[in-house]
Amino acid sequence: MTECAPVGGIHSVRAALKFGAEGVDEVWLERLRRDRRLQELADLAREAGIRLRQVERAELERAAAGVNHQGVLAWVRVPSSRTESDLTALLDRLDVPPFLLLLDEVQDPHNLGACLRTAEAVGVQAVIAPKDNAVGLTPVVCKVASGAAETLPYVQVTNLARVMDALKERGIWLTGTAGEASDELYAADLTGPLGLVMGAEGSGLRRLTRERCDRLVRLPMCGRVESLNVSVAAGVCLYEALRQRRT
């Protein structure tokens, strides 16, 4: 049975209704609240044929479990991650150079959600991660991703190193990030078939993952901090790749 989880907040519910309405089972609205934005959400739900319920604030509070719901909850079917065979089929169908994001053991759902959101925004075709020691698609991930978890394939694989080898056989250039790399991000060619490889915050890339990268780059750091949050670093790298790929 597919798990349903509450997604709260006007922005997150709007994203779910606009970009993943087929996965929304029901929308709850606070009974006594009168708000133009809530009315817009109600109209979106009706247009998509989604059930609407008017509920008391106390019921919303219990279901939201601490989330700032702003008077609305959407009950969303949590999407399933894709498999290695799904990835193969996706790559076979592409008629443009592959643009992939590989995450090595990212465990924080907020980081994964933010990475998915940015990856979808720049046109990444799939995000790849190991099954073990990495977060899957949870309600928190879906909320932070603001609709990207429903539209962007998240592929969890048994052996990330083996998948990287298979990507290289397809001619996909793997560029990893590491603080000790000699080359800066902005000196790297990020056009053509590309897989950006990001390590977990703190531990970075594992040895086998690092060894399979064709090139390692670092982000320039001019202040006193030694590293960036993985979702922030991924955003910088993804948008530099987008900039290059559009010129």
Side-chain angles (χ1 to χ4, degrees), residues 143-203:
K143 175 177 171 57
V144 175
S146 296
E150 289 75 29
T151 58
L152 176 63
Y154 180 57
V155 181
Q156 289 194 285
V157 300
T158 303
N159 188 321
L160 184 61
R162 184 184 66 206
V163 170
M164 292 174 74
D165 287 337
L167 294 177
K168 287 160 67 96
E169 289 176 4
R170 286 178 172 265
I172 298 173
W173 189 264
L174 300 180
T175 298
T177 56
E180 71 279 8
S182 57
D183 295 332
E184 284 194 356
L185 168 70
Y186 302 115
D189 181 359
L190 303 177
T191 60
L194 175 68
L196 277 173
V197 190
M198 312 293 302
E201 188 173 7
S203 57

Side-chain angles (χ1 to χ4, degrees), residues 75-112:
W75 289 91
V76 176
R77 293 188 292 277
V78 177
S80 300
S81 59
R82 310 294 179 88
T83 66
E84 194 171 332
S85 61
D86 294 325
L87 175 63
T88 299
L90 182 152
L91 292 172
D92 287 343
R93 292 194 303 268
L94 287 180
D95 56 6
V96 294
F99 184 16
L100 308 171
L101 175 63
L102 289 77
L103 301 175
D104 191 16
E105 294 193 343
V106 170
Q107 299 178 9
D108 187 299
H110 294 88
N111 280 336
L112 176 58

Side-chain angles (χ1 to χ4, degrees), residues 5-21 24 26-29 37-38 40-45 48 50-52 60 67-76 142-147 150:
V7 170
I10 289 169
H11 178 76
S12 296
V13 172
R14 181 185 293 114
L17 291 172
K18 282 191 172 183
F19 305 114
V24 179
E26 192 170 61
V27 172
W28 290 9
L29 298 171
R37 295 176 301 171
L38 293 186
E40 290 173 354
L41 294 179
D43 292 341
L44 283 174
I50 296 168
R51 293 190 302 272
L52 281 171
L60 273 175
V67 171
N68 181 19
H69 54 75
Q70 298 177 295
V72 61
L73 285 178
W75 289 91
V76 176
C142 294
K143 175 177 171 57
V144 175
S146 296
E150 289 75 29

Side-chain angles (χ1 to χ4, degrees), residues 219-230:
L219 273 65
M221 305 293 291
C222 300
R224 295 185 178 182
V225 298
E226 297 181 355
S227 64
L228 297 177
N229 179 287
V230 62

